[in-house]
Amino acid sequence: MTLTSALYLWALTSKGLFHVAPIARDNLFTSMREGVLVLDLDNRLVDFNPAAAAMMPELSPSSIGEPLHEMWQLHTAEPIFGMGEREGPDTGEADIEEIRWQLGNHSLHYQIRSSTFRNQRGREAGRLIVLIDVTDKARLQEELRQMAYYDGLTRIYNRSHFMKLSYALLNQAVRNREPLVFLLFDIDHFKRINDVYGHDIGDQALQHIVELTRKTLRAEDLFARYGGEEFAVAMPGLSTSEATAAAERIRAKLLTQPMTTPQGPLMITASFGVAAVKTSSHNGTVDAEAEEAWWDTELKKVLKQADRALYEAKRSGRNTIRVSDEE
């Protein structure tokens, strides 16, 4: 047995197997693109890899044994274990969340994975924190969100998102018996602007309209590009006369503040249609499907009334306001 054991140890040593595991571990740890932090149970730093040092330039060999909290807070307001304390038994699975990470002048997004590691006796010995840069993914998600909710040229709500938010406003207004008014307005002779000045100036005219209108609206008003050169505004809490006065302020501002172009000042006017929701018309249906159909019908009805009032303003010579008196 002694001879066999000696031959076995000689074989392991001659093949270098005793050194393979540490070498593999060191190479893997140092070459990872993800930042890795090893903490003890008191959140003191035990080890870190070069990728973590790039993400947290404050890390150095002298940081070993020091609490990580202060260095962590230099880059994010989130706690080290952003998911908070676990509830129930520890399953061994990693906590995962995404946080904003400030590195110098750069604002990044990191996915943080936090998991427990145990000693040979199975007792919890510390935590492993893995930082993964997901900035590109977060940027793409934000771009997709912008495309889904906002008009690409004017950066205000697009029609589909406006309808979704207006649906919620209508629901709230009718249930609480609160006033809700919709404005539709359209740039007068917009085709002529495109034909005479070009589409670039036409795009700038749309942006000019949006900039001036935004300064007039309240924070709680919904403002959207309804289509082409047409815009929509939902004004919760205002009576018809108050909403009409707001429309007059927008109309006057457009009239008195022409847009600057290379060819000189460009006077832009708009025509407005105003329609109010009849909050007393809710029939009190309790069936969910019938209720949803009622909201949809009511929203389309009031927008159609505003559209007809807008058409009447166009017929009346433009640059004016008409209020729907339809029941």
Side-chain angles (χ1 to χ4, degrees):
M1 183 175 292
T2 302
L3 179 60
T4 303
S5 298
L7 290 172
Y8 182 68
L9 291 172
W10 173 82
L12 289 176
T13 305
S14 65
K15 297 296 185 181
L17 297 180
F18 282 133
H19 305 291
V20 171
I23 292 173
R25 178 264 178 199
D26 289 341
N27 287 339
L28 177 63
F29 190 65
T30 58
S31 63
M32 289 178 65
R33 295 178 57 188
E34 296 81 11
V36 181
L37 303 168
V38 183
L39 308 180
D40 64 12
L41 294 177
D42 295 320
N43 288 344
R44 291 177 301 197
L45 189 65
V46 175
D47 201 359
F48 61 91
N49 68 349
M55 297 172 175
M56 301 179 66
E58 302 81 13
L59 292 175
S60 67
S62 62
S63 304
I64 301 298
E66 297 294 326
L68 184 65
H69 177 75
E70 290 186 5
M71 289 183 286
W72 185 271
Q73 293 297 313
L74 293 174
H75 300 282
T76 179
E78 298 293 333
I80 296 176
F81 306 128
M83 299 294 287
E85 295 294 331
R86 288 178 183 271
E87 295 182 1
D90 185 0
T91 62
E93 297 180 355
D95 291 333
I96 302 175
E97 72 167 346
E98 290 187 13
I99 65 173
R100 286 186 177 274
W101 190 266
Q102 195 69 29
L103 187 58
N105 295 325
H106 300 286
S107 181
L108 307 171
H109 283 79
Y110 281 174
Q111 184 184 88
I112 308 297
R113 294 171 177 256
S114 170
S115 58
T116 302
F117 64 85
R118 301 180 178 276
N119 58 24
Q120 294 179 346
R121 296 181 180 180
R123 296 179 179 175
E124 186 173 329
R127 301 284 285 180
L128 189 70
I129 310 294
V130 180
L131 298 88
I132 304 171
D133 190 343
V134 293
T135 304
D136 290 340
K137 173 189 156 187
R139 185 178 296 117
L140 177 60
Q141 288 175 337
E142 177 60 22
E143 289 175 358
L144 293 175
R145 189 185 74 85
Q146 291 286 335
M147 291 172 61
Y149 296 163
Y150 297 94
D151 174 61
L153 176 65
T154 60
R155 311 312 301 165
I156 59 176
Y157 290 134
N158 58 28
R159 178 169 180 160
S160 62
H161 196 56
F162 174 80
M163 295 295 287
K164 180 179 178 180
L165 296 178
S166 296
Y167 186 93
L169 278 183
L170 174 65
N171 189 315
Q172 177 183 339
V174 172
R175 291 189 184 282
N176 297 334
R177 294 294 190 265
E178 297 172 343
L180 174 62
V181 182
F182 287 87
L183 309 181
L184 291 183
F185 67 96
D186 186 283
I187 300 177
D188 296 328
H189 304 296
F190 184 69
K191 184 177 183 301
R192 185 185 304 170
I193 295 175
N194 279 330
D195 291 343
V196 174
Y197 294 91
H199 288 278
D200 288 345
I201 298 298
D203 288 345
Q204 292 176 30
L206 294 173
Q207 294 168 335
H208 176 75
I209 292 278
V210 168
E211 182 181 359
L212 295 182
T213 303
R214 267 179 168 165
K215 294 177 181 179
T216 307
L217 298 177
R218 305 169 302 161
E220 58 266 39
D221 296 331
L222 296 181
F223 183 31
R225 186 178 179 186
Y226 201 62
E229 67 273 21
E230 190 172 3
F231 298 89
V233 183
M235 310 185 98
L238 294 187
S239 65
T240 303
S241 59
E242 290 172 328
T244 304
E248 173 58 29
R249 289 193 293 271
I250 298 172
R251 189 198 68 81
K253 188 178 287 287
L254 295 177
L255 188 64
T256 58
Q257 297 186 31
M259 187 179 93
T260 302
T261 72
Q263 292 83 10
L266 174 60
M267 182 70 68
I268 301 174
T269 62
S271 301
F272 295 77
V274 182
V277 174
K278 308 301 186 292
T279 55
S280 59
S281 61
H282 185 225
N283 57 17
T285 56
V286 294
D287 178 75
E289 186 174 343
E291 185 88 351
E292 184 175 347
W294 187 90
W295 297 122
D296 184 63
T297 300
E298 192 68 15
L299 179 59
K300 290 179 179 177
K301 181 194 300 182
V302 68
L303 287 172
K304 189 171 291 185
Q305 291 170 357
D307 189 59
R308 283 196 282 262
L310 169 60
Y311 179 71
E312 181 60 30
K314 291 283 189 182
R315 289 183 56 188
S316 300
R318 296 181 170 84
N319 187 30
T320 188
I321 302 168
R322 290 293 180 268
V323 180
S324 172
D325 57 358
E326 297 181 52
E327 291 294 336

